[in-house]
Amino acid sequence: MTRATESAPGERSADVLLADGTAVHLRQIRPEDAPAIVDFHSRMSDRTRYLRYFSPYPRIPERDLHRFVNVDHRDREAFVTVAADGRITSVGRYERLGLDSPEAEVAFVVEDAQQGRGIGSVLLEHLAEAAREHGIARFVAEVLPENGGMLRVFGDTGYQVQRRYADGVVHLSFPIAPTERSREVQESREHLTEARSIARLIAPRGIAIYGASASGHGIGAAMLGNLRDGGYTGAVVPVHPSAERVAGLTAYRKASDAGSPIDLAVIAVPAEHVAEALADAASAGAGGVVIGSSGFAEAGPEGAARQRALIETAHAAGLRVIGPSSFGIANTDPAIRLNATMAPRLPAAGRVGFFAQSGALGVALLAEADRRGLGLSSFVSAGNRADVSGNDLLQYWQDDPGTDVVLLYLETFGNPRKFARLARRMSRVKPVVAVASATRPPGLAGDLPGPDAHAVTALFARSGVIRVDTVQELFDVGMLLAHQPLPAGRRVAVVGNSSALAALAEVACRAAGLVVAEGYPHDLSPMASAHDLADALADAAVDDRVDALVVVFAPVVPGQQLSEEDADFAAALASVALAGEKPTVATLVFGRVPPRVPVYMSVEEAVRALARVVTYAEWLRRPPGTMPALSGVDPAAAETAGTATELLAAYGIPVVPSTLAHSADEAVAAATALGFPVAVKAAGGGLRHRIDLGAVRLALGDEDSLRTAYRELDTTFGPEVLVQTMVPPGVACVVEVVEDPAFGPVVGFGLGGVASELLGDLAWRAAPLTDRAAEALVDEPRAAPLLHGYRGSTPVDRAALIDLLLRVGRLADEHPRVRSLLLNPVLVRPDGFSVLHAAIEVGDPGVRPDTGPRRLR
């Protein structure tokens, strides 16, 4: 097991979201916190002190204070939450019950004004993580029966909490190893808090804007004008150091002077003044800021440092940040009418949520949506994405009643593990379309190649996300999803008045994997009337052999415009497309476009969009599968594993014993220790070593044959050989894990051998694997028939192979420090399998993990 370079451990700290969607900073307690702890204690009510200490405890004795703030961060740990002004607002701590005991007592207390915001559950999550890392397996606590809030915190964790009442106190005890239920609780809280934090920004009661010049020039003035002219229904508060009025509105020196509720601040001042504006917004009670200013991470190391400091300040003040370099945000809800963007005109109100990472493309994206007639519910440009990302918007849009479809323009993935998890969940509720790179950056996971572009597109599809290559396709698919029902299958009726266009449509359908229904194309006469077209479409719409319609229509004479008298072809199309249960796409070679009917410039574009949606509908109809319980899994042992063999053993994956030898004597000694017969082969090749050298793998039953084999291998391949316990033969397979920039860990499976490697015959799925995903992995490679009794051979143990893949998927998901994994070869037989070689690279994860307690960037 190789180990990548690790960063030096630092203080445990995190920015977290509370139940109301506001951010707070959490960190380990420090000795210098003593005065702040005294102040915190003084602000507690008598009741809060009594519930925490079981006595009035009016003041903290010096001896207790010293113990409170001095902890060893192993047997005794304490976390505090800190407000922007440095005040401590809560304390949570655990203390081990005896030397090396697996149990610790846990307790926490929250300032009266902060209670009911979910701080206790956040503290408990972080304390449990810290305790597990130091060998603590169980928490105990004592709570007064009247402390209902604290009892609910423990009861709602998802852990198996045992309660016992004695001596007037409720005694609680529970194991702190993560469970399926505790993960569900944690993810549910994460979803609610992130959604609420975005909701406050998307639907603000009032907005303060910084950087709008009195002259009307600049980005700030443009955003203020768009906000005012767009009819925003809340209060607009320009903040200006000297002007009395800006854009016809009263200006204020501080946002709080306006006396209006401020939920959002729009900041467009020079980078060096952004922190000052942010602090003013926080003092006015804002929940977040949109920063249009540039000069941060995109400007180099100095700007990146400025951006990190800004985010730390914002989270400490309870603020979410959109940007910097954001193009702005919008909400077309008539009750809000928010246009805090640089675009003077927004698309019409609709039911599509749109997230764009790029600020530079913002105007063009909104203009194209408007031109297409694609109505938006809300729009967010993330810019540098220093805080708010596409994952946050997925959390918000999942429950937003005004959004039915989500479009994502993504340049990179901040937390791919989380994106994959959220996308799988979101796509079951609402379709997600994403422009995203299908290419893995070189060197992302050592020298392991990952899925190619085709495989990445398939990974998106298997997660329910419709991946497209261009912005044009993003709108093509978005229009179809926004205005048409999902297809029930792949059978397509092609209807039109142009045999040439119909032929193109037929070819395009077959190329896209669609099936042209029996009896189609239905080629109308070039002289067909609008009534004829309507009849043909109506017949296709009720045809049981048809799942979707592709309509192609051209004027009889090139360039001819349809007459007002009988040019109701568009209306005929709309009457069927908008009334039926089958999706309809059209290519109309004239200028009239029926409202809300997906019309495309070319037949190929129409069919391509339809094919994307058909694939999504098929995914939606398939059962999602389950993640079955696996016996013999010990995550705690995996945390302390020092070798690849130990790590795999912790997940119930045995590796056939082997020893490296560098001389004939060493080879004999290794064979003697392992027990004859042994297999010996040339070693080397590093992490990517496959079974290319299978021809020189020899089965040896005695010392003389081993020495002879060693001399032959040494002469051809060098002195290093691998001596291994002999196992029965089987079909050689490869299992590997790599980090993908869009999905985090992905599991690959294929059959071994040079031919399979050259052909790229590996199937991929995102970790963790469901039972259905593991089954599909086994059957998907082109060489898979070799596993299932090809040409009379005995089928291998498919169930054992599926179990192996499930275990690998779980290991990859639960251990983000595993940057790459290769099992090669895995010999699969009718009675099981043998892993002959395992190579694992561990270190700081190349991407952000999606495990552990809740935390922001």
Side-chain angles (χ1 to χ4, degrees):
M1 179 164 64
T2 60
R3 183 172 297 275
T5 302
E6 300 183 24
S7 59
E11 178 190 78
R12 283 182 178 271
S13 65
D15 294 326
V16 297
L17 287 177
L18 304 181
D20 58 3
T22 58
V24 68
H25 186 65
L26 178 149
R27 61 167 173 80
Q28 289 172 319
I29 204 166
R30 303 166 182 161
E32 58 266 30
D33 286 328
I37 289 292
V38 171
D39 178 62
F40 167 66
H41 188 81
S42 70
R43 297 196 309 274
M44 290 185 205
S45 67
D46 292 342
R47 174 176 171 76
T48 294
R49 281 197 291 266
Y50 176 75
L51 292 178
R52 167 62 181 90
Y53 299 107
F54 298 7
S55 69
Y57 205 63
R59 55 179 294 275
I60 304 177
E62 190 63 31
R63 183 180 62 183
D64 288 356
L65 180 61
H66 182 270
R67 180 174 175 80
F68 285 169
V69 298
N70 288 274
V71 297
D72 61 11
H73 304 302
R74 181 184 182 276
D75 295 335
R76 298 177 58 245
E77 181 62 281
F79 291 111
V80 297
T81 56
V82 185
D85 59 4
R87 288 182 302 111
I88 288 175
T89 56
S90 71
V91 181
R93 63 179 67 248
Y94 75 71
E95 183 162 350
R96 193 189 296 263
L97 299 179
L99 182 65
D100 294 329
S101 169
E103 291 190 333
E105 184 174 13
V106 65
F108 39 88
V109 61
V110 180
E111 181 180 345
D112 291 70
Q114 303 295 324
Q115 292 174 8
R117 301 178 64 203
I119 295 178
S121 66
V122 170
L123 285 169
L124 186 56
E125 286 179 18
H126 285 263
L127 287 167
E129 181 189 53
R132 287 194 299 268
E133 291 185 8
H134 295 296
I136 294 172
R138 178 178 291 271
F139 274 168
V140 299
E142 294 183 349
V143 183
L144 291 174
E146 58 265 41
N147 195 348
M150 193 63 65
L151 291 171
R152 280 192 298 274
V153 169
F154 287 114
D156 293 343
T157 58
Y159 296 122
Q160 295 295 319
V161 180
Q162 297 177 339
R163 298 188 180 202
R164 180 175 59 85
Y165 181 79
D167 301 323
V169 175
V170 179
H171 299 265
L172 307 174
S173 175
F174 53 94
I176 57 175
T179 65
E180 203 65 39
R181 177 57 185 156
S182 71
R183 291 190 186 96
E184 289 176 3
V185 168
Q186 199 166 303
E187 290 177 6
S188 175
R189 287 174 174 159
E190 171 200 65
H191 168 65
L192 291 175
T193 57
E194 291 179 0
R196 285 169 180 165
S197 74
I198 299 301
R200 190 175 177 187
L201 310 186
I202 294 291
R205 295 169 299 170
I207 298 176
I209 185 160
Y210 300 80
S213 65
S215 65
H217 300 298
I219 293 174
M223 296 182 80
L224 175 57
N226 296 336
L227 188 62
R228 179 198 60 199
D229 299 341
Y232 172 59
T233 57
V236 179
V237 178
V239 179
H240 196 280
S242 58
E244 298 298 325
R245 298 187 69 80
V246 175
L249 301 173
T250 302
Y252 299 88
R253 304 296 172 264
K254 297 189 300 182
S256 57
D257 291 344
S260 303
I262 301 296
D263 289 328
L264 177 68
V266 176
I267 299 177
V269 299
E272 59 269 23
H273 299 303
V274 169
E276 180 183 350
L278 187 146
D280 185 73
S283 67
V289 296
V290 175
I291 302 177
S293 312
S294 58
F296 290 89
E298 81 287 354
E302 184 177 341
R306 183 186 295 122
Q307 181 170 296
R308 286 193 298 270
L310 183 72
I311 297 303
E312 290 175 5
T313 301
H315 287 169
L319 301 174
R320 299 300 311 267
V321 176
I322 297 175
S325 297
S326 168
F327 175 77
I329 66 174
N331 183 351
T332 63
D333 185 339
I336 308 295
R337 296 204 298 273
L338 170 68
N339 181 11
T341 75
M342 301 177 200
R345 174 186 168 95
L346 291 179
R351 304 189 64 78
V352 176
F354 195 173
F355 173 86
Q357 185 175 333
S358 172
L361 283 177
V363 172
L365 293 172
L366 289 178
E368 180 64 9
D370 188 36
R371 186 188 71 80
R372 295 266 196 132
L374 182 64
L376 301 185
S377 59
S378 47
F379 168 83
V380 172
S381 163
N384 289 3
R385 204 186 52 193
D387 177 20
V388 171
S389 70
N391 290 341
D392 293 288
L393 271 299
L394 287 177
Q395 300 276 40
Y396 168 72
W397 280 321
Q398 179 177 322
D399 298 329
D400 177 28
T403 300
D404 293 334
V405 180
V406 170
L407 305 184
L408 305 174
Y409 179 86
L410 303 171
E411 296 175 354
T412 58
F413 292 84
N415 188 338
R417 289 172 178 257
K418 186 172 180 177
F419 170 77
R421 171 170 61 86
L422 297 184
R424 284 193 293 266
R425 186 182 71 197
M426 175 74 166
S427 296
R428 290 283 169 188
V429 181
K430 300 173 183 180
V432 178
V433 191
V435 178
S437 172
T439 308
R440 300 177 72 250
L444 183 70
D447 59 349
L448 280 175
D452 58 20
H454 175 76
V456 170
T457 297
L459 276 169
F460 272 97
R462 289 164 190 148
S463 294
V465 178
I466 305 172
R467 196 196 74 81
V468 296
D469 296 313
T470 65
V471 172
Q472 181 80 10
E473 284 186 76
L474 184 72
F475 289 112
D476 287 347
V477 177
M479 284 290 295
L480 179 53
L481 290 168
H483 300 307
Q484 296 287 287
L486 293 176
R490 289 186 166 266
R491 302 169 302 172
V492 176
V494 178
V495 179
N497 73 336
S498 166
S499 58
L501 289 177
L504 284 175
E506 187 174 6
V507 170
C509 286
R510 298 190 194 283
L514 302 178
V515 177
V516 178
E518 183 182 350
Y520 297 91
H522 187 155
D523 190 4
L524 298 170
S525 164
M527 303 304 295
S529 66
H531 180 74
D532 295 331
L533 177 63
D535 286 346
L537 292 176
D539 290 342
V542 297
D543 192 334
D544 291 339
R545 301 168 299 176
V546 172
D547 300 311
L549 283 69
V550 175
V551 182
V552 292
F553 186 87
V556 178
V557 180
Q560 171 185 330
Q561 296 298 313
L562 298 175
S563 66
E564 294 293 333
E565 185 175 320
D566 64 349
D568 282 322
F569 290 92
L573 172 60
S575 66
V576 174
L578 300 179
E581 298 179 355
K582 299 175 181 178
T584 300
V585 296
T587 298
L588 306 181
V589 190
F590 57 83
R592 301 177 93 106
V593 178
R596 297 189 296 118
V597 176
V599 176
Y600 303 88
M601 294 296 294
S602 73
V603 172
E604 291 79 7
E605 290 171 344
V607 171
R608 182 174 56 197
L610 179 60
R612 304 269 199 203
V613 175
V614 165
T615 300
Y616 167 69
E618 288 179 339
W619 175 84
L620 202 59
R621 288 192 294 270
R622 288 195 294 268
T626 60
M627 294 178 189
L630 300 173
S631 62
V633 174
D634 187 353
E639 291 290 347
T640 58
T643 67
T645 299
E646 291 173 354
L647 180 57
L648 290 165
Y651 278 82
I653 304 172
V655 179
V656 177
S658 63
T659 303
L660 278 175
H662 299 84
S663 68
D665 289 342
E666 287 186 11
V668 170
T672 303
L674 292 172
F676 284 98
V678 295
V680 60
K681 74 169 184 175
L687 200 58
R688 286 305 300 167
H689 184 59
R690 292 189 180 277
I691 63 167
D692 307 351
L693 305 183
V696 299
R697 173 181 288 277
L698 305 172
L700 306 168
D702 56 59
E703 179 179 334
D704 290 341
S705 60
L706 175 57
R707 290 184 181 276
T708 300
Y710 180 85
R711 286 194 297 270
E712 294 174 355
L713 294 177
D714 183 17
T715 301
T716 307
F717 299 101
E720 188 175 57
V721 299
L722 185 73
V723 182
Q724 190 166 50
T725 300
M726 192 64 193
V727 297
V731 179
C733 298
V734 178
V735 178
E736 60 185 292
V737 174
V738 298
E739 285 282 350
D740 183 83
F743 294 94
V746 292
V747 180
F749 172 76
L751 274 72
V754 177
S756 293
E757 184 174 354
L758 288 175
L759 293 173
D761 190 20
L762 265 71
W764 298 90
R765 293 294 188 280
L769 302 178
T770 65
D771 51 359
R772 291 181 178 273
E775 291 168 5
L777 266 181
V778 170
D779 298 333
E780 188 172 313
R782 290 188 290 269
L786 294 173
L787 302 171
H788 308 317
Y790 183 70
R791 291 190 175 180
S793 63
T794 304
V796 305
D797 188 343
R798 185 169 179 269
L801 189 52
I802 290 170
D803 182 73
L804 170 64
L805 292 172
L806 288 169
R807 293 174 185 276
V808 169
R810 181 165 169 185
L811 185 157
D813 179 59
E814 294 181 346
H815 294 277
R817 294 176 67 82
V818 174
R819 298 182 60 186
S820 58
L821 162 67
L822 178 66
L823 307 182
N824 180 41
V826 178
L827 296 183
V828 191
R829 303 178 299 272
D831 61 346
F833 66 86
S834 297
V835 178
L836 299 188
H837 178 70
I840 298 179
E841 181 184 4
V842 301
D844 288 335
V847 294
R848 291 172 56 216
D850 187 35
T851 55
R854 290 168 284 163
R855 49 171 58 87
L856 292 171
R857 289 173 181 267

Tab-separated table of all heavy atoms in Angstrom, residues 59 161 282-283 386 500 535:
chain	number	residue	atom	x	y	z
A	59	ARG	N	-21.108	30.563	39.170
A	59	ARG	CA	-19.840	31.003	38.600
A	59	ARG	C	-18.909	29.793	38.449
A	59	ARG	O	-19.072	28.769	39.113
A	59	ARG	CB	-19.161	32.056	39.477
A	59	ARG	CG	-18.953	31.640	40.915
A	59	ARG	CD	-18.253	32.731	41.712
A	59	ARG	NE	-16.898	32.938	41.235
A	59	ARG	CZ	-15.852	32.209	41.651
A	59	ARG	NH1	-16.030	31.230	42.539
A	59	ARG	NH2	-14.637	32.452	41.186
A	161	VAL	N	-30.008	4.423	20.921
A	161	VAL	CA	-29.850	5.004	22.252
A	161	VAL	C	-30.629	4.182	23.278
A	161	VAL	O	-31.829	3.953	23.126
A	161	VAL	CB	-30.324	6.475	22.272
A	161	VAL	CG1	-30.161	7.059	23.673
A	161	VAL	CG2	-29.562	7.298	21.242
A	282	ALA	N	-23.642	41.965	7.354
A	282	ALA	CA	-23.877	41.074	8.487
A	282	ALA	C	-24.509	41.822	9.646
A	282	ALA	O	-25.422	41.314	10.309
A	282	ALA	CB	-22.563	40.430	8.916
A	283	SER	N	-24.043	43.045	9.898
A	283	SER	CA	-24.599	43.826	11.006
A	283	SER	C	-26.046	44.212	10.749
A	283	SER	O	-26.790	44.493	11.689
A	283	SER	CB	-23.755	45.082	11.236
A	283	SER	OG	-23.864	45.969	10.129
A	386	ALA	N	-16.809	30.045	-4.288
A	386	ALA	CA	-16.050	29.938	-3.046
A	386	ALA	C	-16.863	29.322	-1.919
A	386	ALA	O	-16.304	28.767	-0.979
A	386	ALA	CB	-15.549	31.318	-2.627
A	500	ALA	N	-37.395	13.744	-47.698
A	500	ALA	CA	-35.969	13.905	-47.398
A	500	ALA	C	-35.754	14.092	-45.906
A	500	ALA	O	-34.880	13.455	-45.308
A	500	ALA	CB	-35.413	15.090	-48.179
A	535	ASP	N	-54.501	15.485	-38.477
A	535	ASP	CA	-55.052	14.122	-38.436
A	535	ASP	C	-53.939	13.096	-38.268
A	535	ASP	O	-54.053	12.149	-37.480
A	535	ASP	CB	-55.842	13.838	-39.715
A	535	ASP	CG	-57.192	14.554	-39.744
A	535	ASP	OD1	-57.612	15.047	-38.671
A	535	ASP	OD2	-57.794	14.630	-40.825
